[in-house]
């Protein structure tokens, strides 16, 4: 065991603050990574503030962060995929049982015995796992991703969660070439959804509550932007979408978006608001529409997404911050004031 510098929250109402945490010595199958950048996902904030208490209560101290990119500093004797000095990524998962039907299908994100990167029981050290707001992490090589060398690393970090969470449901829906696809909410997930939907050839429409994000939405790849608070604009597009990805982090009227779908249209939720949403049965019945959910993606699919990003030079649009600004960043996240992902430069932890 060794100590690593990190930032943790002591309770649901405490700010994140400097601390040290234990990390395990690399076992034969482990990769030790010096973390260079870690994205700030809204799930970090939900967890730090214990907003998902009824589903996944937070254990404190909590070290969030599951959008990790860094450099390999050490590998165990049985590691074959990585060597010292390689770039490496870690997303939301650090382990699973490898044997259940989901794992066998490459869907580790659905494994009932998965270990999340933070706030999950830690099989090695006891207590809970600690995430990427830290100088280092030690992870089983089967959960470590290869990072294309041609991409900006601060913008790569968010691909490990925001990237795969939007890539996976869009891919799963099928061929969206020429189809009208909506992305609801232009935050960390939403802006990646726009980039992927555009890259796959859809006619992309952003729904936003922030009129000030209109120009950015177009620059990021949207063909049209709808300000969702404008009833007239919404009405004009009713019944016209094939697929909609809903990334909203807070309570909202989902029926307004279900009504945007055409016949057999699907709306997939990736946003995870604290409280249940009220769904109108009639909005689904008329038009034979469907509502689904999706959670991150499997390890093989995450690698496929990273390779796709390497081939198409896709990264997140990031605001790079030192770790000392993390609490300020959380306040801005709550106000939807992020363009479009915060990425923490972990070199800033050295001064703590
Ligand atoms: P984010 O950067 O805060 O973006 C969320 C966006 O939703 C905001 O930028 C805003 O966009 C819109 N929004 C926020 N509050 C709203 C409200 N009250 N009404 C309508 N729109 C609102 O968050 P994120 O990191 O993208 O995460 C989004 C959600 O996905 C979170 O709940 C997170 O926990 C969840 N998540 C799920 C998965 C998964 O695997 N399913 C993975 C990662 C994250 P506009 O300003 O454009 O309106
Ligand atoms: Zn996330």
């Amino acid at each position: 065991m060794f100590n690593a510098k990190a930032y943790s929250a002591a309770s649901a109402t405490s700010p994140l603050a400097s601390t040290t945490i234990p990390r395990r010595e690399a076992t034969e199958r482990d990769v030790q990574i010096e973390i260079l950048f870690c994205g700030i996902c809204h799930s970090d904030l939900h967890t730090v503030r214990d907003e998902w208490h009824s589903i996944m209560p937070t254990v404190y101290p909590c070290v969030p962060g599951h959008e990790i990119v860094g450099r390999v500093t050490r590998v165990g004797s049985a590691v074959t995929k990585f060597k010292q000095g390689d770039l490496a990524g870690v997303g939301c998962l650090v382990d699973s049982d490898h044997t259940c039907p989901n794992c066998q299908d490459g869907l580790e994100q659905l494994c009932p015995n998965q270990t999340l990167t933070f706030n999950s029981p830690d099989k090695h050290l006891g207590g809970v796992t600690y995430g990427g707001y830290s100088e280092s992490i030690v992870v089983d090589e089967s959960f470590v991703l290869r990072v294309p060398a041609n991409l900006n690393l601060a913008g790569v970090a968010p691909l490990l969660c925001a990237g795969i969470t939007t890539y996976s449901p869009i891919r799963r829906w099928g061929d969206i070439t020429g189809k009208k696809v909506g992305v609801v909410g232009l935050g960390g997930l939403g802006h990646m959804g726009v980039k992927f939907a555009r890259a796959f050839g859809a006619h992309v429409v952003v729904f936003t509550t922030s009129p000030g994000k209109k120009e950015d939405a177009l620059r990021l790849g949207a063909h049209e932007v709808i300000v969702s608070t404008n009833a007239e604009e919404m009405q004009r597009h009713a019944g016209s979408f094939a697929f909609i990805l809903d990334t909203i982090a807070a309570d909202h009227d989902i029926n307004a978006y279900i009504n945007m779908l055409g016949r057999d249209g699907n709306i997939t939720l990736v946003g995870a608001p604290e409280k249940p949403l009220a769904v109108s049965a009639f909005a689904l019945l008329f038009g034979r529409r469907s509502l689904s959910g999706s959670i991150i993606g499997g390890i093989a699919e995450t690698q496929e997404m990273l390779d796709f990003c390497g081939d198409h030079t896709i990264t997140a649009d990031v605001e790079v911050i030192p770790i000392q600004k993390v609490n300020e960043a959380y306040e801005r996240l709550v106000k939807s004031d992020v363009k479009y992902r915060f990425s923490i430069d972990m070199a800033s932890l050295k001064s703590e």
Side-chain angles (χ1 to χ4, degrees):
M1 218 168 70
F2 64 98
N3 283 331
K5 290 182 180 180
Y7 256 54
S8 74
S11 78
T13 52
S14 326
L16 289 146
S18 180
T19 188
T20 49
I21 53 165
R23 293 290 192 197
R24 67 176 183 265
E25 293 296 341
T27 68
E28 60 177 13
R29 292 213 319 259
D30 281 337
V31 175
Q32 185 173 325
I33 298 163
E34 178 199 358
I35 301 176
L36 299 175
F37 292 95
C38 184
I40 298 181
C41 178
H42 209 113
S43 305
D44 299 353
L45 186 152
H46 287 308
T47 308
V48 160
R49 299 190 177 176
D50 204 14
E51 291 174 354
W52 291 338
H53 185 84
S54 58
I55 312 284
M56 295 190 259
T58 304
V59 177
Y60 296 94
C62 172
V63 178
H66 58 205
E67 294 186 334
I68 298 167
V69 69
R71 217 167 261 292
V72 174
T73 51
R74 206 175 149 189
V75 295
S77 56
V79 168
T80 56
K81 261 172 39 184
F82 294 92
K83 59 179 190 323
Q84 198 182 346
D86 284 351
L87 289 174
V90 177
C92 302
L93 296 169
V94 290
D95 207 357
S96 68
D97 64 21
H98 300 273
T99 54
C100 75
N102 292 325
C103 284
Q104 282 172 8
D105 286 343
L107 300 171
E108 297 87 355
Q109 79 276 28
L110 305 177
C111 171
N113 301 306
Q114 63 186 212
T115 304
L116 297 171
T117 305
F118 63 89
N119 199 42
S120 246
D122 186 330
K123 286 185 211 161
H124 298 264
L125 297 180
V128 291
T129 50
Y130 293 133
Y133 296 8
S134 171
E135 61 186 348
S136 65
I137 193 164
V138 180
V139 179
D140 183 306
E141 78 162 324
S142 47
F143 288 83
V144 182
L145 286 306
R146 289 186 308 278
V147 172
N150 60 320
L151 300 176
N152 167 275
L153 289 184
V156 166
L159 300 178
L160 276 304
C161 175
I164 184 60
T165 301
T166 50
Y167 179 94
S168 180
I170 294 173
R171 283 313 247 177
R172 192 171 134 70
W173 189 82
D175 184 6
I176 61 168
T177 314
K179 300 264 166 54
K180 192 168 170 183
V181 167
V183 176
V184 187
L186 197 66
L189 266 56
H191 93 291
M192 289 311 307
V194 170
K195 291 188 184 205
F196 287 130
R198 178 67 188 242
F200 298 139
H203 179 86
V204 185
V205 182
V206 165
F207 293 92
T208 181
T209 58
S210 309
K213 293 182 182 173
K214 227 170 167 169
E215 271 180 34
D216 279 345
L218 298 170
R219 177 181 56 80
L220 291 163
H223 295 90
E224 294 180 73
V225 185
I226 300 173
V227 177
S228 53
T229 46
N230 182 330
E232 201 184 301
E233 255 184 88
M234 290 289 275
Q235 189 49 40
R236 228 181 310 132
H237 290 263
S240 67
F241 284 81
F243 177 71
I244 296 177
L245 192 66
D246 181 346
T247 77
I248 297 179
D251 191 25
H252 61 286
D253 176 16
I254 188 167
N255 303 307
Y257 300 104
I258 296 176
N259 285 326
M260 292 291 135
L261 296 170
R263 191 187 72 202
D264 294 323
N266 172 266
I267 180 163
T268 294
L269 288 181
V270 284
E274 182 178 356
K275 299 203 178 77
L277 300 170
V279 176
S280 156
F282 285 100
L284 290 173
L285 303 186
F286 287 105
R288 220 165 49 179
R289 299 150 167 161
S290 62
L291 166 65
S292 322
S294 188
I295 186 154
I296 46 174
I299 295 302
E301 193 179 31
T302 305
Q303 190 62 61
E304 175 191 306
M305 178 274 310
L306 284 168
D307 295 344
F308 180 87
C309 288
D311 291 346
H312 294 82
T313 328
I314 292 174
T315 52
D317 283 33
V318 289
E319 190 176 328
V320 178
I321 58 162
I323 188 86
Q324 291 78 8
K325 288 246 162 97
V326 69
N327 294 302
E328 205 178 294
Y330 274 33
E331 290 314 311
R332 287 182 51 198
L333 203 55
V334 172
K335 294 185 206 138
S336 304
D337 174 24
V338 47
K339 292 183 174 174
Y340 279 88
R341 198 56 142 187
F342 292 110
S343 186
I344 307 170
D345 180 351
M346 279 306 157
S348 59
L349 201 51
K350 292 190 202 301
S351 64
E352 292 286 343

